[in-house]
Amino acid sequence: MSGLKGVGLLLLWGSACLGLPGLARGALVISGDHEALQETRGAAKSLQKRSTNEAMVEVFSVRVDCTVTSRFAHTVMTSKALNKANASQEIFFEVDLPKTAFIANFTMEIDGQTYVGAVKEKEKAKKQYEKAVSSGQTAGLVKASGRKMEKFSVSVNIAAKSNVTFILTYEELLQRKKGQYEILTRIKPKQPVQEFQIVTNIYEPKGISYVDAHATFLSNELLPLVVKTITDNKAHISFSPTMEEQRKCSDCDGTIIDGDFVITYDVNRAKSLWDIQIVNGYFVHFFAPPDLPRVPKNVVFVIDRSGSMSGGKMAQTREAMLAILKDLHEEDHFALIQFDNRIESWRNSLTKATKENVSEGMAYVKKIRDNGSTNINDALLRAVNMLLEDRKEKKLPERSIDMIILLTDGMPNDGESRIPNIQANVRSAIGGNMSLFCLGFGNDVDYSFLDVMSRQNKGVARRIFEGSDAVIQLQGFYEEVSSPLLLEVDLRYPENAVDSLTTNHFSQLFNGSEIVVAGRLTDNDMDNFMVEVFAQGYEEDFKVQGQASAVDWDVMYPNEEYIFGDFTERLWAYLTIQQLLQNSKTASPQENSNATAKALDMSLRYSFVTPLTSMVVTKPETEDGTDSPLIADKLTEEQRQQAERVSYRHSPVQYSRAPTPTYFVDGDPHFLIELPDRNDALCFNINDKPGTIFNLVRDPKQGILVNGQIIGDKKIPPDGKIKTYFWRFGIVHQSLGLKLEVSTQDILVLQDGKQVKLLWSDTASVKGPNVDLLLTKDRSLTVTLKDSVKFVVLLHKVWAKHPYHRDYLGFYTLDTHLLSPFVHGLLGQFYHGIDYEVSDLRPGEVPEKPDATMFVKGQELNVTRGWQRDFRRDVKNGENISCWFVHSNGTGLIDGAATDYVMSGLFKTV
């Protein structure tokens, strides 16, 4: 979505946004006489309606207040807006919040009247929700928003000249990872906000060792606006830019603030182990002792090499494994197992991680190639047996931890494929003697299967999202579990002094993490509160004990208006609910029922929105006398993944699942750059004489080249305008020695002096060592270059006896993030983003196509709102995509002139 007034109407701030109804949904508008929301296909209608309403909503205050007390974060988002219009209208409120957080309250204040959310059992709330939806009313939803966040979105009808205040509260226990805690606030204020402020206060009685605040959008000019005040046990961080400081430029409507605002910190790790907080009859114990030697690990890496891992996944897995092997300590032992329908071990037993052995292991990893189906059962049993045999033969250090790390992207479909049987087999084989960590790569993997199997075997599962940073994700997870410090950690408290303990036994403690135990006190006599910790250390058993004592908060933090004195109780409830939900996945049916019932009871008692509950807010009555409830839910990881799958099913299977930009040229010829992050697109045409060859993509670093040749109509049409289309493409991968010539007649593949010819009348799948081809009869060709980009060519067949037009091709590029920063060409230059602003919407020559002013690459261009057709879903009719059309062969948008991209041959670079 651009920064245009009347186009970029979603008024976002901090993690929140206000906007008009169609604004949050892109193609929806609302009329002044309260008609129902309508979907419009005409881009101009939508834009003109939005521009009429946009100035009618004034956002005059947005504040994000976060208070962290002993790692428990309480965040309140408050947003105020005024309907300046002479008629009532709908206003949207959207918030991105961490997926680990529980919503605790949502309130709307409308002209002095307050509407407060009530937490109800999910099934009861669902009935209200379904009733609202069936009557055509709008209900609030929570949806996945990226990897770490969830989006809460509601709308409310506001009378003329009325104001509304939205207040959302959520809470979470911050988890220590890699030696720090993280507080994340997502900020996407598509335009400046009058009063914008983020304020965070951190209270840590043990003392704060460091605090850092940064954001993806912070420039040198904005850095001084991040104010930090730090004392021994308190930190205050604020960020409050003025409207002018938020602007990209003095006369732009867009804002420079767009991204994540992140605060990281850690507490002092004193020699004392007693970081225990006791408030109002509840205690919380944080255990992360400093300066412990790491315990050697024996790790078997089990790597899926099945066919579904082809391309980028396999390349990223190899790259990550090479980095991971480099990080092994010499006292560690490791093994490598790769599998598809066959199981192949690097060596028959684990190997000590000497420099020589690691080097040989890395050479083995470099040779792993994808092939075949997926036999997870036998691969894991091979890993378990290898560890058991080495233990039996005393090849491994007595005091060391045994672990298996499985990386897979698919469902088991070879050997034992029934999931309950695989889980039972692995659990029986491991017998509680080792930890299993499962990494699920991509969206086809059954995450629930991996999650349960990991929890059954003293491990955890983690989703690895497809994307350019998959290698970083893999390395990051390994870093979390690569340095065990203690095994079989048992934290004990006086039986007569506490009850309702959260989990107090842990299989391992890793460097940079933290164990948290909370409970309720039954005896207020603190003289009796003796704490003991037992564990297995590197060279000897670890055993400490000590006397806990309460902190007097009034003395430590005088004159502080403490935001919630019951934080230990709410922390205990949060942790208990989380653990009950986790444990229910691996429990017996009876235990599952009991755990679920208890978690539901606590969710209702503490007003937490969990996977078992929903928050319901009844909106004010509308003019027709109806009201519609707003519903806030909590997604499980499985639900998030299912939602992603459902969304993906609406796209052809060969296309990337991530919401990445799409770049294509189709039609006569229309170039389109789709930008989902902005809910917008740019487009331009290139016109030249038939026979001209243009460079579309050129990556000199990777040796990739794509040129296309245009062809004209058979003869001049009655309107005198001859159209041109791409009819032939030349694709080169120099380092692979590969050339493809794709025309409207056939496909020629040339490599190593050999030539393969495919016809569009075929349906074929060709899998080579360096390129995969998928040909769908008379429709599309998908070209997947090994470890690199993917191209899709669409065939448009025209009636053979058409008096003017000919068959032509469309060219679409996918996985462009795998290309280097040096990529260029008519399409390639846009692969790494384009920054622009649009303003001054005005009538154009055609009523349905308004004009506007675009600021791009230091130039001011006249652009027109129109649409081009995207044929990915429907190769015959296409789908209209609204875009800003740049005239004169893309002049001002593309680098240089269109003639600069003319080539002398289909495989030439000049």
Side-chain angles (χ1 to χ4, degrees):
M1 189 174 291
S2 77
L4 167 68
K5 282 187 176 181
V7 179
L9 291 179
L10 197 59
L11 306 179
L12 296 162
W13 54 85
S15 298
C17 72
L18 285 175
L20 300 178
L23 322 184
R25 296 293 179 265
L28 298 177
V29 297
I30 188 168
S31 65
D33 57 356
H34 316 294
E35 293 174 355
L37 294 178
Q38 300 287 330
E39 183 169 357
T40 176
R41 291 191 179 275
K45 270 188 183 177
S46 175
L47 291 171
Q48 289 165 355
K49 180 61 68 176
R50 293 181 195 176
S51 62
T52 301
N53 286 339
E54 187 228 9
M56 297 296 100
V57 175
E58 180 185 359
V59 180
F60 54 86
S61 178
V62 176
R63 185 178 174 96
V64 181
D65 287 290
C66 179
T67 300
V68 181
T69 311
S70 290
R71 290 67 139 183
F72 195 61
H74 175 95
T75 303
V76 181
M77 295 183 169
T78 306
S79 305
K80 300 179 182 180
L82 171 66
N83 176 14
K84 298 168 65 177
N86 294 321
S88 63
Q89 58 180 324
E90 203 85 350
I91 296 179
F92 272 84
F93 173 73
E94 288 190 353
V95 169
D96 280 317
L97 65 153
K99 68 178 183 179
T100 51
F102 289 162
I103 293 175
N105 189 31
F106 176 66
T107 300
M108 294 185 299
E109 297 175 0
I110 303 173
D111 280 346
Q113 189 167 353
T114 302
Y115 302 84
V116 182
V119 175
K120 298 185 178 183
E121 185 178 352
K122 186 178 287 290
E123 287 305 312
K124 294 180 180 178
K126 186 179 178 182
K127 291 179 181 177
Q128 273 188 275
Y129 173 81
E130 289 173 346
K131 182 180 178 182
V133 172
S134 66
S135 63
Q137 300 166 24
T138 304
L141 292 172
V142 170
K143 297 180 180 179
S145 178
R147 303 170 187 176
K148 295 183 177 182
M149 311 294 278
E150 291 176 347
K151 186 181 293 295
F152 171 56
S153 173
V154 298
S155 68
V156 63
N157 198 59
I158 303 298
K161 310 303 180 183
S162 294
N163 59 63
V164 58
T165 300
F166 297 102
I167 306 170
L168 181 81
T169 303
Y170 62 84
E171 296 175 349
E172 65 172 326
L173 175 63
L174 303 179
Q175 296 180 18
R176 188 171 187 249
K177 292 183 178 180
K178 302 180 187 177
Q180 65 182 21
Y181 307 96
E182 179 183 274
I183 307 163
L184 172 62
T185 305
R186 182 149 293 164
I187 307 175
K188 290 184 175 294
K190 294 295 183 179
Q191 50 183 252
V193 176
Q194 289 189 37
E195 297 178 10
F196 175 82
Q197 190 171 36
I198 298 176
V199 177
T200 300
N201 288 296
I202 302 172
Y203 301 88
E204 290 289 354
K206 280 293 179 181
I208 298 172
S209 61
Y210 82 92
V211 176
D212 184 35
H214 65 280
T216 54
F217 55 80
L218 280 182
S219 61
N220 291 334
E221 291 76 17
L222 290 179
L223 273 175
L225 302 181
V226 180
V227 179
K228 294 189 292 184
T229 306
I230 305 169
T231 61
D232 288 342
N233 48 34
K234 180 187 174 183
H236 174 86
I237 303 98
S238 65
F239 177 62
S240 183
T242 64
M243 286 190 74
E244 292 308 310
E245 289 167 333
Q246 296 171 47
R247 297 186 191 278
K248 281 189 175 181
C249 56
S250 58
D251 42 351
C252 294
D253 294 316
T255 173
I256 198 171
I257 301 172
D258 185 352
D260 291 340
F261 188 84
V262 183
I263 297 172
T264 55
Y265 79 96
D266 198 15
V267 302
N268 291 328
R269 301 289 159 184
K271 299 298 181 182
S272 168
L273 304 177
W274 313 127
D275 189 355
I276 297 179
Q277 307 301 321
I278 302 172
V279 179
N280 293 345
Y282 288 82
F283 81 92
V284 57
H285 180 191
F286 302 96
F287 179 71
D291 305 325
L292 289 179
R294 61 184 300 279
V295 176
K297 63 180 179 293
N298 314 306
V299 55
V300 182
F301 297 98
V302 183
I303 303 167
D304 186 347
R305 65 172 183 192
S306 59
S308 57
M309 288 287 289
S310 66
K313 291 182 190 175
M314 197 73 258
Q316 290 171 322
T317 298
R318 285 193 296 266
E319 184 180 346
M321 281 303 306
L322 294 176
I324 287 169
L325 292 177
K326 283 182 182 178
D327 286 340
L328 288 170
H329 295 260
E330 189 154 340
E331 64 271 19
D332 293 336
H333 288 71
F334 74 104
L336 299 165
I337 295 175
Q338 55 174 312
F339 73 95
D340 42 38
N341 53 302
R342 297 173 297 110
I343 318 299
E344 180 183 315
S345 303
W346 172 46
R347 294 176 179 173
N348 293 328
S349 62
L350 281 85
T351 302
K352 192 172 184 182
T354 62
K355 288 185 178 180
E356 182 181 359
N357 287 334
V358 167
S359 178
E360 292 178 14
M362 292 171 67
Y364 177 80
V365 166
K366 290 177 182 177
K367 297 177 183 177
I368 296 178
R369 293 292 182 269
D370 53 274
N371 186 38
S373 49
T374 309
N375 188 342
I376 292 177
N377 183 80
D378 291 353
L380 286 177
L381 294 183
R382 173 80 66 88
V384 173
N385 290 333
M386 189 180 291
L387 281 164
L388 291 176
E389 285 297 317
D390 282 9
R391 277 286 177 194
K392 183 178 178 182
E393 297 176 14
K394 298 185 177 180
K395 294 180 179 179
L396 305 175
E398 183 177 349
R399 283 187 178 270
S400 58
I401 181 174
D402 297 340
M403 63 173 67
I404 298 168
I405 297 180
L406 166 70
L407 189 144
T408 181
D409 78 327
M411 290 282 289
N413 57 13
D414 195 279
E416 177 57 74
S417 59
R418 289 166 294 183
I419 285 174
N421 291 1
I422 297 173
Q423 291 170 333
N425 292 343
V426 173
R427 189 174 190 178
S428 175
I430 286 179
N433 295 315
M434 57 194 73
S435 297
L436 171 63
F437 300 95
C438 296
L439 302 178
F441 203 142
N443 207 31
D444 289 331
V445 70
D446 187 334
Y447 177 77
S448 179
F449 157 51
L450 299 182
D451 186 34
V452 170
M453 189 163 61
S454 296
R455 294 184 189 282
Q456 289 174 336
N457 297 286
K458 303 195 297 187
V460 295
R462 185 74 58 81
R463 287 185 65 192
I464 302 299
F465 296 84
E466 290 185 61
S468 58
D469 67 337
V471 172
I472 297 173
Q473 295 177 62
L474 290 167
Q475 288 180 252
F477 173 82
Y478 175 75
E479 187 178 338
E480 290 179 33
V481 301
S482 63
S483 296
L485 303 178
L486 294 174
L487 311 178
E488 305 303 334
V489 186
D490 200 23
L491 298 94
R492 301 177 188 175
Y493 311 90
E495 291 184 9
N496 61 344
V498 301
D499 68 5
S500 301
L501 269 182
T502 59
T503 300
N504 65 327
H505 180 84
F506 299 83
S507 301
Q508 56 263 321
L509 170 68
F510 295 104
N511 187 38
S513 66
E514 181 175 66
I515 286 173
V516 183
V517 180
R520 184 168 52 195
L521 300 175
T522 58
D523 185 352
N524 289 325
D525 182 7
M526 297 312 301
D527 294 334
N528 265 336
F529 203 79
M530 184 68 68
V531 181
E532 297 177 298
V533 181
F534 300 89
Q536 298 173 18
Y538 172 42
E539 294 179 335
E540 58 186 5
D541 287 344
F542 180 91
K543 179 180 179 181
V544 293
Q545 63 179 23
Q547 182 78 28
S549 59
V551 171
D552 191 330
W553 286 85
D554 292 330
V555 173
M556 181 166 287
Y557 300 106
N559 304 318
E560 291 283 358
E561 186 179 346
Y562 189 54
I563 195 164
F564 48 101
D566 60 346
F567 84 92
T568 47
E569 181 177 356
R570 296 189 65 81
L571 187 158
W572 163 79
Y574 174 97
L575 194 56
T576 300
I577 294 169
Q578 291 275 38
Q579 292 177 353
L580 286 168
L581 293 173
Q582 292 169 2
N583 295 339
S584 67
K585 296 180 179 180
T586 57
S588 66
Q590 182 60 45
E591 291 171 334
N592 184 333
S593 178
N594 292 340
T596 301
K598 185 176 180 181
L600 173 60
D601 177 68
M602 292 186 66
S603 300
L604 295 172
R605 192 189 328 159
Y606 290 93
S607 295
F608 279 141
V609 178
T610 72
L612 304 175
T613 57
S614 298
M615 179 167 285
V616 181
V617 185
T618 301
K619 294 197 295 186
E621 286 189 358
T622 56
E623 291 186 353
D624 61 4
T626 62
D627 56 18
S628 54
L630 307 173
I631 307 293
D633 282 321
K634 182 70 186 170
L635 303 179
T636 64
E637 193 63 41
E638 291 80 9
Q639 289 170 329
R640 293 170 64 89
Q641 187 183 26
Q642 183 62 29
E644 292 167 14
R645 286 173 176 165
V646 170
S647 173
Y648 177 58
R649 276 200 291 269
H650 290 86
S651 301
V653 72
Q654 70 262 36
Y655 289 91
S656 172
R657 298 170 200 173
T660 52
T662 301
Y663 312 87
F664 66 83
V665 56
D666 216 328
D668 60 340
H670 306 304
F671 289 77
L672 190 137
I673 298 96
E674 197 171 17
L675 305 168
D677 285 347
R678 300 181 67 148
N679 193 23
D680 206 0
L682 307 178
C683 51
F684 59 93
N685 291 354
I686 295 290
N687 296 304
D688 209 305
K689 61 185 178 183
T692 303
I693 298 172
F694 289 103
N695 174 242
L696 303 181
V697 182
R698 184 186 179 193
D699 187 339
K701 187 169 184 181
Q702 293 196 17
I704 292 175
L705 176 76
V706 180
N707 290 337
Q709 187 174 28
I710 57 176
I711 191 173
D713 284 335
K714 297 174 183 176
K715 59 182 180 179
I716 300 176
D719 61 7
K721 296 180 181 178
I722 190 166
K723 293 184 178 181
T724 56
Y725 312 84
F726 279 106
W727 77 282
R728 199 163 63 119
F729 294 112
I731 302 173
V732 178
H733 196 314
Q734 293 174 342
S735 59
L736 300 181
L738 174 72
K739 286 186 178 180
L740 280 87
E741 182 178 335
V742 184
S743 72
T744 52
Q745 283 84 42
D746 51 35
I747 298 107
L748 295 178
V749 185
L750 301 95
Q751 188 170 27
D752 301 328
K754 298 178 182 178
Q755 177 175 302
V756 176
K757 182 176 182 179
L758 301 174
L759 300 177
W760 282 105
S761 56
D762 298 331
T763 291
S765 177
V766 180
K767 200 173 183 68
N770 297 316
V771 64
D772 293 344
L773 302 178
L774 178 63
L775 177 62
T776 302
K777 181 179 178 180
D778 289 333
R779 187 185 188 282
S780 66
L781 172 71
T782 302
V783 181
T784 304
L785 299 174
K786 281 297 184 183
D787 307 331
S788 189
V789 72
K790 181 184 294 185
F791 301 122
V792 177
V793 180
L794 297 185
L795 173 65
H796 297 275
K797 293 185 71 67
V798 176
W799 178 43
K801 296 182 180 180
H802 196 289
Y804 308 111
H805 303 326
R806 307 175 189 263
D807 292 352
Y808 66 95
L809 302 174
F811 181 79
Y812 297 73
T813 53
L814 311 175
D815 297 335
T816 53
H817 61 277
L818 296 176
L819 292 172
S820 80
F822 302 99
V823 67
H824 209 264
L826 282 172
L827 283 176
Q829 64 187 284
F830 300 106
Y831 289 170
H832 298 295
I834 178 73
D835 192 24
Y836 66 96
E837 288 296 331
V838 182
S839 62
D840 188 24
L841 186 70
R842 54 192 179 272
E845 292 183 10
V846 180
E848 296 82 17
K849 297 181 179 181
D851 285 347
T853 300
M854 175 182 289
F855 298 91
V856 60
K857 296 183 178 179
Q859 300 180 70
E860 187 175 310
L861 308 179
N862 180 69
V863 295
T864 301
R865 192 67 175 181
W867 49 83
Q868 302 289 15
R869 282 195 289 175
D870 179 347
F871 293 93
R872 285 175 291 171
R873 294 174 177 82
D874 185 345
V875 74
K876 182 178 180 181
N877 301 309
E879 176 185 358
N880 283 342
I881 302 294
S882 296
C883 60
W884 289 113
F885 183 79
V886 180
H887 302 272
S888 305
N889 284 353
T891 300
L893 178 65
I894 65 173
D895 292 340
T899 53
D900 297 336
Y901 300 87
V902 175
M903 299 292 110
S904 59
L906 197 62
F907 299 108
K908 299 291 187 180
T909 57
V910 293

